[in-house]
């Protein structure tokens, strides 16, 4: 016997173990192989669904695949996709955030108000809005980790709190982009790549996905997030400070909501307290369709991005096909139920 690099003992039984694994793999039925594939690669399912969706809607209306249409779809996806990054982090810990839209709108209105009515420079107004979003995330995190309240109840309550504060603060009034510093509307500036047009907001959203994706897959913090979501007690016994990790997730989610608020100003061309009314549901939908488990511990931001694109592709594709908007809600509802059902099936995977 020999000692391996990690201090364990290597035995001559290793090849036999590998052979047993290969035999087990060959013995799996095709459906079991699909189940194991989806368990190992959560983003595979939404990638397949997105590809099928694009092919079907292009067949129904060739305009769907034109550069201008794709540009519009990507730009319309940016805000919800950004919010869904924060939602993904929280759902990975087996939580849920119903206040995502309200927190982002509050941050957006603070940015816009201080940048226009109070004459604050764009950078200062942006930082102030980000600070408000971080405080909103920290409040949710403190209530969940310190008072041990369920995330669903906490964020349902703060949804009303943040909405009320926004309406009281703004008086329900919108602020037009022309009254704000140029920096706040920078995310709406566009760049042409041939016939394809992309905004700074879209580029910022992509950067956000790259940073959070790297943090989840390549850092100790990311591994701890998955561990806490998968089994909090086992993570605690392994020496992970579960309370600190969980609180940090809500704070990081707050940062994400602040960035999403900035993207929203550029996308909408104004700051309105009544914007993105369905953001909470849409962000959860994107995460669930993207393959992240509602029970925590499995998933990632790549699947979430694909899920957000699927939702928007369905909406745009059905519109181009001349289908009533109510059927879009029906399609999204069916996708959500199907995604959760598949997740339940995947969680039953056996080695």
């Amino acid at each position: 016997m020999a000692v391996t690099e990690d201090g364990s003992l290597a035995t001559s039984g290793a090849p036999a173990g590998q052979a047993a694994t290969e035999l087990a793999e060959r013995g799996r039925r095709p459906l079991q192989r699909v189940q194991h594939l989806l368990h190992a690669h959560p983003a595979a399912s939404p990638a397949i669904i997105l590809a099928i969706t694009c092919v079907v809607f292009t067949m129904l209306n060739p305009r769907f695949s034109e550069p201008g249409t794709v540009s519009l779809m990507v730009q319309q996806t940016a805000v919800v996709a950004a919010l869904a990054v924060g939602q993904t982090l929280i759902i990975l810990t087996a939580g849920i955030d119903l206040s995502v839209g309200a927190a982002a709108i509050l941050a957006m209105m603070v940015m816009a108000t201080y940048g226009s009515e109070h004459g604050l420079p764009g950078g200062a107004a942006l930082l102030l809005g980000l600070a408000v979003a971080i405080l909103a995330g920290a409040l949710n995190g403190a209530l969940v980790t310190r008072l041990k309240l369920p995330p669903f109840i906490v964020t349902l309550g703060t949804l009303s709190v943040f909405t009320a504060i926004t309406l009281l603060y703004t008086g329900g009034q919108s602020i037009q982009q022309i009254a704000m510093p140029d920096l706040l509307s920078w995310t709406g500036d566009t760049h042409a790549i041939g016939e394809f047009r992309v905004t700074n907001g879209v580029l910022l959203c992509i950067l956000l996905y790259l940073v959070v994706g790297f943090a989840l897959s390549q850092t100790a913090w990311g591994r701890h997030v998955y561990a806490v979501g998968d089994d909090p007690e086992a993570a605690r016994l392994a020496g992970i400070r579960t309370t600190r990790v969980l609180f940090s997730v809500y704070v990081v989610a707050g940062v994400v909501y602040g960035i999403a608020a900035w993207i929203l100003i550029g996308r909408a061309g104004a700051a309105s307290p009544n914007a993105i009314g369905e953001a909470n549901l849409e962000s959860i939908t994107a995460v669930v369709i993207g393959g992240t488990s509602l029970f925590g511990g499995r998933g990632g931001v790549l699947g979430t991005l694909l899920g957000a694109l699927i939702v928007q592709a369905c909406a745009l594709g059905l519109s181009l096909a001349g289908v009533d908007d109510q059927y879009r809600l029906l399609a999204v509802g069916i996708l959500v139920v199907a995604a959760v059902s598949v997740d339940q099936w995947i969680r039953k995977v056996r080695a």
Side-chain angles (χ1 to χ4, degrees):
M1 294 188 292
V3 179
T4 61
E5 292 182 359
D6 62 358
S8 61
L9 295 178
T11 67
S12 58
Q18 293 175 358
T21 302
E22 293 175 0
L23 286 173
E25 181 65 30
R26 285 198 296 268
R28 289 173 184 158
R29 291 173 297 183
L31 196 59
Q32 288 178 315
R33 292 179 182 176
V34 172
Q35 188 182 29
H36 279 74
L37 174 65
L38 295 179
H39 185 273
H41 305 283
S45 179
I48 295 170
I49 293 173
L50 180 60
I52 294 173
T53 300
C54 291
V55 170
V56 169
F57 284 125
T58 299
M59 292 174 63
L60 291 174
N61 190 331
R63 287 177 53 200
F64 181 85
S65 59
E66 292 179 356
T69 305
V70 176
S71 300
L72 178 62
M73 181 177 71
V74 171
Q75 291 173 31
Q76 290 177 338
T77 304
V79 175
V80 171
L83 290 172
V85 173
Q87 190 73 262
T88 300
L89 292 173
I90 292 173
I91 291 179
L92 280 174
T93 63
I96 198 164
D97 191 348
L98 300 178
S99 68
V100 291
I105 292 173
L106 177 57
M108 176 183 67
M109 296 312 299
V110 169
M111 291 179 194
T113 301
Y114 273 89
S116 59
E117 297 178 6
H118 298 288
L120 213 61
L126 176 61
L127 290 176
L128 187 58
L130 286 172
V132 168
I134 293 170
L135 286 174
L139 175 61
N140 286 337
L143 292 173
V144 170
T145 59
R146 302 302 177 185
L147 299 185
K148 308 299 181 184
L149 299 177
F152 180 89
I153 299 301
V154 167
T155 57
L156 181 61
T158 54
L159 163 63
S160 298
V161 171
F162 298 153
T163 301
I165 292 174
T166 301
L167 292 174
L168 290 170
Y169 176 67
T170 63
Q173 299 298 311
S174 299
I175 300 174
Q176 297 303 312
Q177 179 176 302
I178 193 172
M180 304 179 210
D182 291 341
L183 179 62
L184 295 184
S185 59
W186 172 82
T187 53
D189 294 345
T190 60
H191 307 278
I193 306 174
E195 295 183 32
F196 185 82
R197 300 183 70 83
V198 62
T199 64
N200 288 331
V202 171
L203 298 178
L204 184 59
C205 181
I206 294 172
L207 178 62
L208 185 62
Y209 270 84
L210 292 174
V211 171
V212 175
F214 177 84
L216 284 175
S217 62
Q218 303 297 324
T219 68
W221 179 80
R223 291 189 289 272
H224 292 172
V225 169
Y226 281 103
V228 169
D230 187 50
D231 191 333
E233 183 60 20
R236 186 186 66 81
L237 293 174
I240 297 174
R241 296 181 177 179
T242 55
T243 299
R244 179 178 295 183
V245 171
L246 192 56
F247 180 76
S248 71
V249 165
Y250 282 89
V251 172
V252 173
V255 175
V256 172
Y257 302 155
I259 295 172
W262 187 21
I263 296 174
L264 177 58
I265 291 176
R267 173 60 192 159
S272 170
N274 300 312
I276 55 174
E278 298 180 354
N280 299 328
L281 178 60
E282 290 179 348
S283 66
I284 295 171
T285 300
V287 175
V288 173
I289 293 177
T292 296
S293 174
L294 284 171
F295 302 96
R298 189 180 67 84
V301 292
L302 174 58
T304 296
L305 178 58
L306 295 172
L309 288 170
I310 289 170
V311 173
Q312 193 56 49
C314 285
L316 190 57
L318 290 173
S319 177
L320 288 173
V323 177
D324 190 280
D325 282 347
Q326 301 305 320
Y327 287 99
R328 177 183 70 83
L329 297 176
L330 175 64
V332 171
I334 292 173
L335 282 173
V336 171
V337 173
V340 174
S341 300
V342 170
D343 174 56
Q344 288 279 54
W345 175 63
I346 292 172
R347 287 176 63 84
K348 297 177 182 178
V349 67
R350 291 189 293 269

